[in-house]
Amino acid sequence: MRENIGDQFTLDDMARTANYSKFHFSRAFQRVTGVSPGRFLAAVRLQEAKRLLVSTSLTVTDISHRVGYTSVGTFSSRFRNSVGVSPTTYRQLGGFAPHIPMARRAGNTRTATVQGEIFAPACGTPGLIFIGLFPDGIPQGAPIRCSVLSRPGPYVLTSVPPGTWHLLAHSVALGRESVMVDSPFADDQALAVASSGPITIRPGVPVRHADLALRPSCVLDPPVLLALLDVRTVALGAGAAS
């Protein structure tokens, strides 16, 4: 996918490369990565677009074509929905976001609390730790609930509505934030990730417990599409989520 990011290829093409039937390939791919091949490819393309926006002077139209989109309007819409801001705003912000907006949901009195503990990776020093509940296994779009921790330890997500969610966390090693923005595919273990789920929240079950252990991201992990939090903004107390 990464070597042919701008090409138009199908599930059949990917399965043929792996010498699998497309049905077996799709099942195996989702079992290993947590998402379908198509969703993973879409995420990889948007992650490359993020890199090009902050590391080159290419126009948004040129970037959209380089990562496989034939319509700049479709590209811009999907980028905003996945990253949280438009391509132009992402470039202006230098790849960082002042806050992470949460999805708005209709009021529901039968909410629950998801809580647990986040453990640090065996190597490296994690920076800010973002944790959120998402509809699927890719950290993109607006989380249903989220929080930011300054260090590993207990977390609590309150007012979680009924549904099936994926608990996802990520942290960039201290001092490595610019590396992740300029070169999101860099294999230098700057990014640590963790996941749990799917977690089903049902009315009448007030608390769900889920621990997470951060580990270095690998090539099989879906890209983190959310714009990284601006550490300076959080340090000033401006708030990580709204």
Side-chain angles (χ1 to χ4, degrees), residues 5 18 41 49 74 81 100 144 201 232:
I5 202 163
L41 174 60
T74 299
N81 290 338
I100 303 295
I144 191 67
I201 301 299
R232 297 164 300 177

Side-chain angles (χ1 to χ4, degrees), residues 20-44:
Y20 282 0
S21 73
K22 70 176 182 179
F23 302 106
H24 181 56
F25 171 74
S26 184
R27 287 193 299 268
F29 192 98
Q30 181 141 358
R31 184 174 64 250
V32 172
T33 66
V35 296
S36 71
R39 296 296 306 280
F40 196 98
L41 174 60
V44 167

Side-chain angles (χ1 to χ4, degrees), residues 107-125:
N108 191 314
T109 59
R110 307 295 295 277
T111 60
T113 295
V114 177
Q115 63 184 40
E117 188 164 357
I118 298 181
F119 300 95
C123 59
T125 303

Side-chain angles (χ1 to χ4, degrees), residues 64-165:
S64 70
H65 293 159
R66 283 202 178 199
V67 298
Y69 284 84
T70 56
S71 166
V72 66
T74 299
F75 165 75
S76 295
S77 176
R78 291 183 180 173
F79 190 98
R80 179 191 292 273
N81 290 338
S82 296
V83 180
V85 294
S86 70
T88 299
T89 300
Y90 184 82
R91 170 173 274 170
Q92 293 170 344
L93 292 172
F96 294 95
H99 68 278
I100 303 295
M102 287 189 289
R104 299 186 181 277
R105 291 266 168 170
N108 191 314
T109 59
R110 307 295 295 277
T111 60
T113 295
V114 177
Q115 63 184 40
E117 188 164 357
I118 298 181
F119 300 95
C123 59
T125 303
L128 291 174
I129 301 170
F130 173 87
I131 181 170
L133 288 166
F134 294 85
D136 61 25
I138 298 179
Q140 65 177 353
I144 191 67
R145 292 292 180 268
C146 67
S147 183
V148 174
L149 306 181
S150 60
R151 63 181 64 87
Y155 76 88
V156 178
L157 299 175
T158 60
S159 302
V160 179
T164 299
W165 313 108

Side-chain angles (χ1 to χ4, degrees), residues 1-2 5 29 33 35 39-48 50 82 136-140 168 170 180 184-185 191 193 217-226:
M1 291 180 183
R2 293 187 171 111
I5 202 163
F29 192 98
T33 66
V35 296
R39 296 296 306 280
F40 196 98
L41 174 60
V44 167
R45 284 174 167 164
L46 290 178
Q47 185 75 330
E48 172 65 359
K50 289 168 61 180
S82 296
D136 61 25
I138 298 179
Q140 65 177 353
L168 306 174
H170 67 264
M180 288 308 304
F185 293 151
L191 180 68
V193 297
S217 177
C218 74
V219 69
L220 296 176
D221 290 311
V224 174
L225 292 185
L226 284 175

